[in-house]
């Protein structure tokens, strides 16, 4: 069985990017309002970095932020603990890395490539399928015993 600590090195290809990067990070309440705010703040930040609201890259990235933030609120919530959103823009290849960190390292998502389609009768269970289909890669890492980060990368250009 693969654990988050095993996945840490295998699926977090941060080092493949070169050149300068821009960063945005914020902590938000683990509530539906916090998840909605994450999406709006991501869209605004991308606009300020040159990807306007109405471009495909902004819409895709905003959707991915919304899915990861909603999962953090639904599956990663711990009483009294927030979640964090971090955006890293690698300008040279116009790639955005989205990271959402929550307080439940004991609840890890399935491994990339192992997701199964959701039952058509259910109202949920499609978020990570969207993440997998719209991003170039995604995964989860555990940097400490108190948090986990679910991340993905998406081309903006």
């Amino acid at each position: 069985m693969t654990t988050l600590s095993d996945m840490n090195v295998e699926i977090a290809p941060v080092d493949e990017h070169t050149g300068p990067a821009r960063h945005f990070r914020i902590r938000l309440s683990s509530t539906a309002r916090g998840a909605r705010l994450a999406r709006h703040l991501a869209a605004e930040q991308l606009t300020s970095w040159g990807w306007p609201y109405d471009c495909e890259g902004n819409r895709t990235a905003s959707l991915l932020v919304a899915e990861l933030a909603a999962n953090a609120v639904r599956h990663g919530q711990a009483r009294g603990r927030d979640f964090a959103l971090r955006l890293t823009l690698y300008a040279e290849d116009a790639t955005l890395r989205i990271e959402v960190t929550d307080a439940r390292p004991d609840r890890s998502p399935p491994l990339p490539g192992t997701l199964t389609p959701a039952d058509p009768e259910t109202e949920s269970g499609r978020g990570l399928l969207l993440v997998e289909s719209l991003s170039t890669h995604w995964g989860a890492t555990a940097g400490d015993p108190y948090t986990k980060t679910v991340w993905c990368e998406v081309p903006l250009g």
Side-chain angles (χ1 to χ4, degrees), residues 65 68-69 72 83-86 98-102 148-151:
V65 167
L68 294 180
F83 74 92
L85 168 66
R86 180 182 172 127
I98 301 164
E99 299 176 3
V100 175
T101 302
D102 66 48
K148 79 166 172 301
T149 299
V150 181
W151 60 271

Side-chain angles (χ1 to χ4, degrees), residues 3-112:
T3 65
L4 279 175
S5 60
D6 296 333
M7 294 167 43
N8 214 7
V9 176
E10 293 176 29
I11 61 173
V14 174
D15 295 336
E16 72 183 33
H17 299 287
T18 59
R22 294 179 173 178
H23 301 278
F24 172 81
R25 182 175 169 90
I26 191 165
R27 296 184 69 80
L28 298 161
S29 65
S30 289
T31 61
R33 183 177 181 185
R36 282 191 307 275
L37 187 55
R39 180 184 179 135
H40 292 298
L41 290 171
E44 180 63 34
Q45 187 61 51
L46 286 169
T47 297
S48 75
W49 285 340
W51 279 270
Y53 289 111
D54 60 349
C55 79
E56 187 69 25
N58 190 314
R59 286 193 300 265
T60 300
S62 296
L63 174 63
L64 294 174
V65 167
E67 292 300 334
L68 294 180
N71 281 353
V73 169
R74 183 172 184 162
H75 304 292
Q77 186 180 45
R79 187 176 175 96
R81 303 276 309 273
D82 297 334
F83 74 92
L85 168 66
R86 180 182 172 127
L87 305 176
T88 304
L89 173 63
Y90 299 99
E92 193 166 298
D93 60 1
T95 297
L96 181 71
R97 182 177 176 97
I98 301 164
E99 299 176 3
V100 175
T101 302
D102 66 48
R104 294 301 301 265
D106 58 317
R107 292 189 179 175
S108 58
L111 294 171

